[in-house]
Amino acid sequence: MYCRPPKSRKLKPGEIQMDKHDNNDKTIFGFWVYLMTDLVMFAALFATFAVLRNNTFGGPQAGELFSLPFALSETLILLTSSFTCGLGILSARSGDKNKTILLFASTFVLGTAFLAMELSEFSHLISEGNGFQRSAFLSSFFTLVGTHGLHIAAGLVWMGILIVRILKRGLTDSVLRKLTLLSLFWHFLDIVWIFIFSIVYLIGVI
Amino acid sequence: MNKEHLGHGTVRSYLTGFILSISLTLLVFFLVNLHISSGHITISHELLTGAIIVLALAQLVVQLIFFLYLAGRGSSARWNLVVFLSTASIVLIIVIGSIWIMNHLNYNMMSGSNMNVYMQNEEGIHK
Amino acid sequence: MMAFIFGKLTFAALPHQWYTLGATFSIAVGGLGIAVILTYFKRWKWLWKEWLTSTDPKKIGVMYIVVSSVMFFRGGIDAGMIWLQQALSAGGSHGFLTGSHFQQIFTAHGDIMVFFVTMGLLFGLINYVVPLQIGARDLAFPFLNTLGFWLYVAGAALINLFFVLGGDFAATGWLAQAPLSELQYSPGVGVDYWIWSLQVSGLGTLLGGINFLVTILKMRAPGMTLMKMPLFVWTSLCSMVLVISVFPILTVTMGLLFLDRFAGFHFFTTGFGGNAMLYTNLIWMWGHPEVYILILPAFGVYSEVVATFSQKRLAGYVSMVCATIAITLLALLVWLHHFFTMGAGADVNAFFGMMTMVIAIPTGAQVFNWLSTMYKGRIRFFTPMRWFLGFISTFTLGGMAGVMMAVPPIDFQVHNSLFLVAHFHTMVIGGALFGIFAGLTYWFPKVMGFRLNERLGRYAFWCWIVGFFTSFVPLYILGFMGATRRLDHYDVSTGWQPLFMVSAAGLVIIACGVSLQIVQVVVSIKQRKQNLDTTGDPWNGRTLEWSTVSPPPFYNFAIIPKVASRDAFWEMKQNKKSKQEKMQYEDIYMPKNTAMGIYVAGFVFLVGFALVWHIIWLAVAGLLGATICVIIRTFDEETEYVLPAAEVAKIEAGRNTNG
């Protein structure tokens, strides 16, 4: 009933299918659409935070919990990592393998620093008794900021894998495409952080 | 291989975006710090909230243009922009809709004493 | 130690009630039966290679339809139990179900019918038909397609697993509202099963949504601009836009509920500042667009069917597209009409009431366009057309009920009454399900290569439509008489019992209809040699899928067609374009089969199962397994194979001499 693929052959090494130039376009667009679904997810978390921001159940409010200088440092670190990531893509496109690795490694280090700061803030809050079980406000804070942190962690894992691949196989076309997707992801996370910084920390403390 | 879809941008455009973003971040931090250190009286609460949101949106636009090339020409950049704007509308519906609805629901859930406080503060009705 | 290995899982979870035992037995017998048949006919390898690991959207589409049909029986049995209970349980008699069991049944019934039957059937149709209609060979991301299907299966497996291990499903209604679904009031694992079966299948749906969207936007045949696409493609596109827009909200909401239950968070709890009304707000923000996700592709099917069987071009193509887009946008602005009575006050209720009324306008425009297409057409009364006409009668009735309830003061009277229940069943059955039946009977010859028995199809339709009205008109009346939904027992003095019994009789008629549909398929298979579809175009169709053989070759089109107008195939036939011209075949690149989708979904299933039972090590292991599989897949550079032009020519030539 269904035709079976009879005599087919494998792609020759380096062979690109005729409409493959559309492949980059399709994949990048598809990834962009996925990022938009991620954006909707963050929107729901932001809406939850906005609704529950004053439900502290008698506990401390945002102004008493958050340190602005700390949040500013986190912001500047992540912003810089977004910049190095962008420069990394430029080097990758121009074929400079070493510079690409250096720039993405810097992005990795900065991202890890950001995550470490965030984890230290979380553990500090929890140890003081202001963990996610304390109130609806804290539940939504930990979830919103924590989800962003999980995305950053996933991005770092992805980055590590791609750096290793560049070291092993060089800047092939497929690696270049994956780096582009990663950079989209990384820039997107920085944009989400702008809103977390503004809405959770800044508006929280005024 | 067609590298056209892998994005445009130069060192200069990234640098511009980076500097603009840092400036906006430092600016908003400075404003908030000013407000707090002067005992929350320099700028009104509503105005400052508005300023924070405006500056955040400005930085969003900067990053969209300089880091994500959403203002580029070409059909793929155009589609990305369309998809982004649609999603942004949905984000607004979700956030603003939820805040509006939940605020009103809280209104009907208020106890008697809270109701008096609400009437005084929000509606200006003094018993 | 035991708690670490097994979490909350104990022997008490094994089936010991009559219904869990019965269900476990059926699952075991069914599974064993299939295994025996496969072994006897030595078809395991064939099943694995030809179907389970396939990336062909045609095969995946058929698999979606098969799994959904099986789930349909489960949901139908649930419906039967509800009907029977409500017909019998008045006054002194308390029927045959306990209150708690009854609650689990209506919860499961709703979730299965919405998530696993309707969504599955629609995804099946879209998978099969859309690539053919746009002149493409596959979807944009074949791996995501198989992964999405297997995640759907994993979700279905989880929602059936509670029969075997767990016993009690959620007793909270199909959307598990807080605070009833919080740990305090639902301490068992039922709600957790609910959460994780829907999260897993929801992930599959989201991936499918991305896939279909990119496919439709980026892989149309040359010359097919957006305004030349068939209406089924347009409605599928808009439906997927809604999927992408709102499924993440469902993911978040269920995730927050799970955090409350699992880790002591306080989003929706009664206390610690939690706000249960926020759950209602968020879940309906997803829930309302979801029903439009279900109905839009059905509208698309109707557009195709009406045009083909009136032998006329669809009237008002542009206005149909605009109406579809309008419905898509408005669907995102009406969700509060599901909780007018929760107390948001007049301004909020007024806004959402008005938007809900407005959404009836583009829908009405579509109905008029369909009727206008029929006007002065030469109508052929085949089964798909009958389903369309059935839809017109039922949907108009139910739609008017909906516009009534859009008015908040009326809604305050009928909210959560049987009037509401009758309304949404009219929409889902009369609108979506009839559309699915129309689509299945319409495209059956294309998929199978032979036609369905028309007479049995006619009888089945009449049983369904008569049964439907017999079942649901009494519910409208009961709603006005004050009967609330989800009642497992009521007083005889209400006078409701006769109507409940009429409604139950209607179910029996529907069951006859379903039986006839099964018989129709069986008989058609037996009579297939007499009803072969030799031309590929049994209905004198208008769109590109009819230009292929039935069933189409695995690559769909040997040569990608060039499109010049709407109703592309019709135009080709009018211009008498010979299919023999231009035999310039090229190499075709096709995606390979892959088992990775099954493996990833298997690991995700383990994660869901582990989280239900709080088996942390298993959840972590499952997550690691799924992640590693995905990473391995991304390292795979050889995901395609090439079909040389010479082979294509051979297949096409073979077809021409045989057909």
Side-chain angles (χ1 to χ4, degrees):
Chain A
M1 182 172 89
Y2 284 85
C3 291
R4 255 163 265 202
K7 295 199 193 70
S8 58
R9 62 171 176 82
K10 290 167 70 165
L11 265 70
K12 305 196 194 90
E15 176 178 3
I16 303 168
Q17 76 175 69
M18 256 162 292
D19 47 333
K20 192 92 167 187
H21 72 274
D22 289 335
N23 231 31
N24 278 347
D25 185 34
K26 241 176 22 191
T27 311
I28 292 174
F29 181 64
F31 190 74
W32 182 247
V33 174
Y34 153 70
L35 282 182
M36 294 298 101
T37 68
D38 230 3
L39 180 59
V40 173
M41 188 190 71
F42 275 110
L45 288 172
F46 270 108
T48 304
F49 180 82
V51 168
L52 296 175
R53 71 189 182 284
N54 290 323
N55 293 25
T56 55
F57 198 57
Q61 295 209 305
E64 302 154 58
L65 289 174
F66 302 142
S67 150
L68 270 194
F70 193 80
L72 178 66
S73 320
E74 283 180 307
T75 308
L76 293 174
I77 288 175
L78 200 62
L79 191 49
T80 312
S81 78
S82 203
F83 179 55
T84 54
C85 175
L87 293 179
I89 284 290
L90 289 177
S91 332
R93 271 171 50 210
S94 63
D96 190 334
K97 179 172 155 183
N98 291 331
K99 203 158 158 216
T100 307
I101 293 179
L102 185 66
L103 283 163
F104 275 104
S106 316
T107 312
F108 185 90
V109 166
L110 289 166
T112 311
F114 171 87
L115 206 56
M117 287 181 75
E118 195 160 272
L119 284 170
S120 86
E121 181 187 28
F122 279 10
S123 65
H124 179 69
L125 283 169
I126 291 174
S127 66
E128 283 190 336
N130 291 318
F132 44 81
Q133 295 176 336
R134 177 87 171 76
S135 68
F137 157 69
L138 280 162
S139 287
S140 53
F141 165 77
F142 272 89
T143 309
L144 174 59
V145 180
T147 305
H148 178 264
L150 276 173
H151 280 74
I152 294 276
L156 289 173
V157 169
W158 191 4
M159 210 178 291
I161 293 176
L162 281 181
I163 291 176
V164 169
R165 284 196 87 183
I166 300 174
L167 280 167
K168 282 196 161 169
R169 296 205 204 165
L171 286 168
T172 62
D173 290 343
S174 103
V175 159
L176 197 47
R177 183 172 64 243
K178 294 186 207 302
L179 277 176
T180 310
L181 298 181
L182 172 63
S183 72
L184 282 179
F185 189 63
W186 201 254
H187 292 312
F188 167 76
L189 287 177
D190 190 39
I191 291 177
V192 172
W193 179 258
I194 299 171
F195 286 95
I196 295 182
F197 178 51
S198 307
I199 294 173
V200 174
Y201 291 94
L202 291 181
I203 296 184
V205 302
I206 59 175
Chain B
M1 175 184 89
N2 192 341
K3 296 200 173 132
E4 172 197 297
H5 302 290
L6 295 182
H8 319 271
T10 58
V11 176
R12 198 145 149 251
S13 66
Y14 273 112
L15 198 58
T16 318
F18 182 52
I19 292 176
L20 278 175
S21 298
I22 296 229
S23 318
L24 286 165
T25 307
L26 291 174
L27 174 61
V28 74
F29 174 71
F30 169 73
L31 282 174
V32 171
N33 222 20
L34 188 66
H35 177 85
I36 293 179
S37 55
S38 62
H40 296 254
I41 54 170
T42 323
I43 314 166
S44 86
H45 193 274
E46 282 83 18
L47 210 60
L48 189 55
T49 309
I52 292 173
I53 292 181
V54 166
L55 288 170
L57 289 172
Q59 196 176 149
L60 168 69
V61 172
V62 164
Q63 293 218 6
L64 286 176
I65 293 178
F66 290 100
F67 289 176
L68 287 170
Y69 333 111
L70 273 193
R73 309 243 174 91
S75 83
S76 60
R78 197 58 55 79
W79 271 118
N80 289 355
L81 186 62
V82 166
V83 166
F84 173 73
L85 288 174
S86 326
T87 313
S89 323
I90 292 158
V91 166
L92 287 174
I93 292 173
I94 293 174
V95 174
I96 296 178
S98 294
I99 295 176
W100 187 47
I101 292 172
M102 298 308 294
N103 215 29
H104 275 73
L105 285 170
N106 283 334
Y107 171 83
N108 276 357
M109 296 286 280
M110 262 192 273
S111 63
S113 54
N114 280 347
M115 181 61 87
N116 287 336
V117 171
Y118 177 87
M119 282 168 68
Q120 279 189 350
N121 293 345
E122 304 289 328
E123 311 270 350
I125 300 169
H126 294 264
K127 271 214 152 148
Chain C
M1 181 64 182
M2 292 299 274
F4 174 74
I5 298 177
F6 290 105
K8 283 165 44 173
L9 190 57
T10 62
F11 281 113
L14 286 169
H16 51 269
Q17 293 130 311
W18 63 267
Y19 48 93
T20 46
L21 282 167
T24 307
F25 182 70
S26 318
I27 295 174
V29 164
L32 210 63
I34 296 175
V36 163
I37 293 174
L38 285 172
T39 315
Y40 179 74
F41 286 106
K42 294 201 179 53
R43 291 287 216 169
W44 283 103
K45 210 166 168 201
W46 167 86
L47 184 70
W48 182 257
K49 281 183 69 177
E50 285 299 314
W51 288 94
L52 302 184
T53 57
S54 172
T55 51
D56 185 351
K58 296 189 292 297
K59 300 240 172 110
I60 293 177
V62 170
M63 289 196 287
Y64 263 114
I65 292 174
V66 167
V67 175
S68 307
S69 307
V70 173
M71 295 300 277
F72 179 72
F73 284 108
R74 164 131 183 238
I77 293 174
D78 284 334
M81 289 167 83
I82 296 173
W83 253 305
L84 205 56
Q85 171 73 12
Q86 292 189 318
L88 295 177
S89 171
S93 157
H94 281 262
F96 66 107
L97 298 170
T98 61
S100 139
H101 186 199
F102 183 76
Q103 289 163 354
Q104 292 171 48
I105 292 177
F106 65 65
T107 306
H109 166 77
D111 288 313
I112 287 174
M113 287 306 203
V114 171
F115 287 95
F116 295 101
V117 177
T118 321
M119 292 289 284
L121 288 169
L122 285 172
F123 266 56
L125 283 177
I126 296 176
N127 247 309
Y128 201 103
V129 174
V130 165
L132 285 167
Q133 281 197 333
I134 62 174
R137 294 208 165 99
D138 202 329
L139 292 194
F141 308 113
F143 172 66
L144 278 189
N145 200 14
T146 164
L147 177 61
F149 169 71
W150 285 107
L151 285 172
Y152 162 80
V153 171
L158 275 171
I159 207 174
N160 281 310
L161 187 64
F162 85 89
F163 279 134
V164 183
L165 274 180
D168 275 338
F169 192 59
T172 55
W174 78 286
L175 283 181
Q177 307 262 18
L180 180 58
S181 52
E182 290 282 347
L183 203 58
Q184 188 180 8
Y185 302 107
S186 288
V189 293
V191 175
D192 298 302
Y193 266 117
W194 178 86
I195 291 174
W196 288 105
S197 72
L198 296 186
Q199 286 280 43
V200 170
S201 76
L203 181 61
T205 307
L206 192 58
L207 293 177
I210 298 175
N211 213 348
F212 292 132
L213 185 87
V214 176
T215 306
I216 295 174
L217 289 180
K218 296 280 182 182
M219 290 177 70
R220 282 164 281 134
M224 187 181 279
T225 60
L226 284 174
M227 292 307 271
K228 295 199 177 82
M229 297 195 306
L231 249 306
F232 183 67
V233 180
W234 260 114
T235 54
S236 302
L237 175 67
C238 292
S239 176
M240 293 305 123
V241 166
L242 284 175
V243 166
I244 286 165
S245 310
V246 301
F247 262 78
I249 304 175
L250 179 68
T251 311
V252 165
T253 313
M254 293 196 292
L256 298 182
L257 181 64
F258 186 69
L259 284 173
D260 274 3
R261 291 174 61 84
F262 182 78
F265 281 61
H266 289 292
F267 291 101
F268 315 120
T269 51
T270 52
F272 287 88
N275 193 337
M277 295 190 292
L278 179 59
Y279 181 93
T280 305
N281 176 54
L282 288 173
I283 203 82
W284 280 116
M285 230 190 275
W286 163 84
H288 189 84
E290 161 70 4
V291 308
Y292 284 94
I293 292 169
L294 298 179
I295 200 70
L296 283 176
F299 283 172
V301 173
Y302 293 131
S303 297
E304 304 292 340
V305 164
V306 171
T308 303
F309 292 103
S310 307
Q311 300 187 79
K312 249 180 91 189
R313 210 174 45 190
L314 183 71
Y317 177 93
V318 176
S319 70
M320 290 296 274
V321 170
C322 291
T324 307
I325 295 176
I327 293 174
T328 310
L329 296 175
L330 287 168
L332 295 162
L333 288 172
V334 299
W335 75 91
L336 188 127
H337 69 232
H338 296 271
F339 49 97
F340 277 137
T341 57
M342 199 155 80
D347 337 5
V348 177
N349 280 358
F351 170 75
F352 282 99
M354 285 191 284
M355 299 309 286
T356 311
M357 282 187 267
V358 167
I359 206 170
I361 298 177
T363 315
Q366 297 215 331
V367 172
F368 283 119
N369 268 324
W370 287 318
L371 295 178
S372 175
T373 310
M374 288 173 66
Y375 179 64
K376 287 203 176 156
R378 284 168 298 137
I379 301 177
R380 299 174 295 154
F381 274 104
F382 287 104
T383 307
M385 194 60 172
R386 287 207 175 78
W387 287 114
F388 164 73
L389 291 169
F391 150 80
I392 291 288
S393 57
T394 54
F395 202 77
T396 325
L397 170 70
M400 284 195 281
V403 178
M404 280 176 66
M405 286 191 291
V407 180
I410 298 184
D411 186 75
F412 269 64
Q413 300 295 316
V414 291
H415 175 67
N416 272 352
S417 70
L418 286 180
F419 188 81
L420 168 71
V421 172
H423 160 74
F424 65 69
H425 278 93
T426 310
M427 299 289 98
V428 182
I429 298 180
L433 193 62
F434 282 13
I436 289 170
F437 288 154
L440 288 173
T441 51
Y442 180 54
W443 281 303
F444 186 92
K446 177 55 57 185
V447 175
M448 301 295 280
F450 56 91
R451 300 162 71 140
L452 279 169
N453 184 301
E454 262 306 307
R455 199 156 48 96
L456 288 171
R458 202 165 66 230
Y459 296 162
F461 164 75
W462 281 110
C463 283
W464 262 99
I465 193 92
V466 169
F468 173 81
F469 278 108
T470 315
S471 290
F472 288 98
V473 169
L475 293 190
Y476 281 109
I477 302 171
L478 279 167
F480 276 146
M481 287 168 76
T484 48
R485 68 192 293 197
R486 298 173 173 165
L487 284 177
D488 71 309
H489 179 263
Y490 51 90
D491 225 48
V492 182
S493 59
T494 55
W496 295 340
Q497 190 165 26
L499 284 168
F500 272 117
M501 303 199 95
V502 172
S503 184
L507 170 67
V508 174
I509 304 175
I510 291 181
C512 290
V514 175
S515 313
L516 282 167
Q517 285 173 310
I518 300 172
V519 171
Q520 181 192 29
V521 174
V522 170
V523 165
S524 306
I525 292 177
K526 282 182 68 180
Q527 294 178 338
R528 66 187 181 281
K529 293 275 167 32
Q530 292 103 294
N531 291 323
L532 283 178
D533 174 18
T534 48
T535 61
D537 185 16
W539 308 119
N540 197 15
R542 313 179 72 87
T543 42
L544 281 177
E545 74 271 28
W546 304 111
S547 71
T548 61
V549 222
S550 296
F554 61 94
Y555 46 77
N556 286 357
F557 301 95
I559 303 172
I560 301 287
K562 287 192 178 35
V563 168
S565 65
R566 288 173 203 155
D567 286 347
F569 183 51
W570 187 259
E571 292 304 310
M572 286 181 198
K573 284 192 288 191
Q574 301 309 339
N575 297 337
K576 291 201 170 41
K577 264 212 184 109
S578 164
K579 288 188 214 174
Q580 303 302 317
E581 65 175 58
K582 274 224 260 192
M583 300 278 271
Q584 207 33 19
Y585 296 120
E586 291 170 339
D587 289 351
I588 295 180
Y589 295 77
M590 293 297 291
K592 282 190 198 165
N593 282 9
T594 174
M596 245 345 158
I598 303 176
Y599 299 149
V600 174
F603 278 116
V604 173
F605 170 83
L606 284 179
V607 173
F609 173 76
L611 287 173
V612 167
W613 291 104
H614 294 211
I615 308 174
I616 308 302
W617 66 265
L618 186 59
V620 172
L623 196 56
L624 270 172
T627 312
I628 291 172
C629 281
V630 170
I631 293 176
I632 292 176
R633 171 73 191 187
T634 61
F635 274 71
D636 191 349
E637 303 276 345
E638 289 184 6
T639 56
E640 290 180 332
Y641 66 92
V642 183
L643 192 65
E647 277 304 313
V648 178
K650 239 201 250 172
I651 298 173
E652 293 292 301
R655 180 247 293 186
N656 282 336
T657 49
N658 285 343

